[in-house]
Amino acid sequence: MSPLDKLPEEIDSLLDSFMSHAIVGNTTVGLTTYTFWLAVALILMLVVLFVFKKKQSASLVPQGLFVNGVEYVVEFVRDDMVKSIVGEKTWKKHFPFLAALFFFICANSIIGVIPGCHPGTGTIGVTAALALCSFIYFIVVGCKRLGVIGYIKSLAPEGVAFPINILVWVIELFSTFLRLITLAVRLFCNMFAGHVVMGAFAILASLFFEPLLQGFSVVAFGQAGASVFWVAILIVIYLVEIMVGIIQAYVFTLLSAVYIQLAENGD
């Protein structure tokens, strides 16, 4: 049997492994695989930040690759995603929330590329929860600035004649709720699709190498040689997936910053 003949069955098993399975209890009330790895990512993120803070406070000048690296990322989030988008006047009060979003998504992305692990952001429930946090945050910011009624009225720009202003208000209301959906779906689809691709190439590499383990032959040796090609592609995909995970954290945080800026300044 050709290795490719086994591929559909292995892909089905791969997709099943990406489904949420209960470790304790059930998928409705209990600890699932994705919840477990989400907790691991959260603990990893907190450990890194606490160690960074401790090492940073030990010296007036940042020393070491670890401290300088984390400090560079923190400054990148502060300057390129918060200050430049939210603005100089209000960036400080929104920085903790936006930085937490970025680091949390990055931590999950890093955990997700480790073989046998799952990214917490690989399930729509988690990405929807993150999107809901962002959605509620910028709605609260808008309501604090204008009041609840004022924020609702602000969805329709001033100066638009009746009844066009009603139509514009409905469109803007739909657009506001659409932000919640797009934030959740974009992050989930990119993380899920990336891990399916990585898993598929890992399966191809193992399927082509498996015959050589069962017995040496010229054909088996040739198929094992082909697995080297799949492994090479897999390594490249791993590197790309790490980059994609960081980019998704950047995009999610950047869009959240834009929505906060719109709510804060009413532009």
Side-chain angles (χ1 to χ4, degrees):
M1 179 184 291
S2 169
L4 292 178
D5 293 334
K6 300 179 183 179
L7 185 59
E9 181 181 348
E10 294 292 336
I11 292 295
D12 288 340
S13 298
L14 174 68
L15 293 176
D16 180 67
S17 71
F18 287 142
M19 297 299 105
S20 186
H21 298 287
I23 299 174
V24 178
N26 54 56
T27 54
T28 303
V29 180
L31 179 67
T32 66
T33 49
Y34 281 99
T35 308
F36 172 78
W37 290 113
L38 182 147
V40 171
L42 179 59
I43 292 170
L44 173 66
M45 180 190 75
L46 292 175
V47 168
V48 168
L49 292 178
F50 279 125
V51 171
F52 161 71
K53 189 63 180 176
K54 184 177 180 180
K55 288 182 176 290
Q56 185 191 46
S57 60
S59 174
L60 292 175
V61 180
Q63 295 181 354
L65 182 62
F66 173 76
V67 174
N68 281 282
V70 176
E71 192 168 274
Y72 172 80
V73 176
V74 172
E75 289 176 354
F76 171 75
V77 175
R78 183 193 66 193
D79 298 335
D80 288 34
M81 283 190 280
V82 183
K83 272 188 178 181
S84 63
I85 302 297
V86 179
E88 290 285 344
K89 293 182 179 179
T90 58
W91 74 269
K92 286 185 179 180
K93 65 179 180 180
H94 302 302
F95 174 71
F97 174 73
L98 292 170
L101 280 180
F102 180 81
F103 280 106
F104 180 75
I105 297 173
C106 279
N108 276 278
S109 299
I110 292 169
I111 287 293
V113 298
I114 300 173
C117 303
H118 294 289
T121 48
T123 176
I124 189 65
V126 172
T127 59
L130 286 172
L132 185 61
C133 289
S134 179
F135 179 80
I136 292 174
Y137 189 94
F138 74 75
I139 292 294
V140 170
V141 169
C143 290
K144 280 186 175 180
R145 187 176 70 89
L146 300 171
V148 176
I149 302 301
Y151 180 73
I152 293 173
K153 287 181 178 180
S154 71
L155 295 178
E158 294 181 2
V160 180
F162 179 83
I164 301 300
N165 62 341
I166 302 297
L167 177 62
V168 172
W169 185 86
V170 172
I171 293 172
E172 286 298 322
L173 181 64
F174 175 76
S175 174
T176 300
F177 279 98
L178 194 61
R179 296 172 185 175
L180 172 62
I181 299 171
T182 54
L183 279 174
V185 173
R186 179 189 290 109
L187 180 58
F188 165 71
C189 288
N190 278 281
M191 300 309 297
F192 185 82
H195 283 76
V196 169
V197 172
M198 282 198 304
F201 278 99
I203 288 171
L204 284 169
S206 63
L207 287 178
F208 277 86
F209 192 77
E210 185 180 344
L212 188 63
L213 298 177
Q214 297 173 352
F216 181 83
S217 68
V218 175
V219 175
F221 185 76
Q223 291 177 347
S227 71
V228 176
F229 171 73
W230 298 119
V231 169
I233 295 179
L234 180 62
I235 292 171
V236 174
I237 292 175
Y238 260 95
L239 297 175
V240 171
E241 185 63 14
I242 293 172
M243 184 176 66
V244 167
I246 295 172
I247 290 173
Q248 287 307 309
Y250 173 80
V251 171
F252 192 100
T253 309
L254 189 70
L255 288 174
S256 297
V258 170
Y259 299 152
I260 291 169
Q261 189 272 337
L262 291 173
E264 189 73 73
N265 301 315
D267 296 335

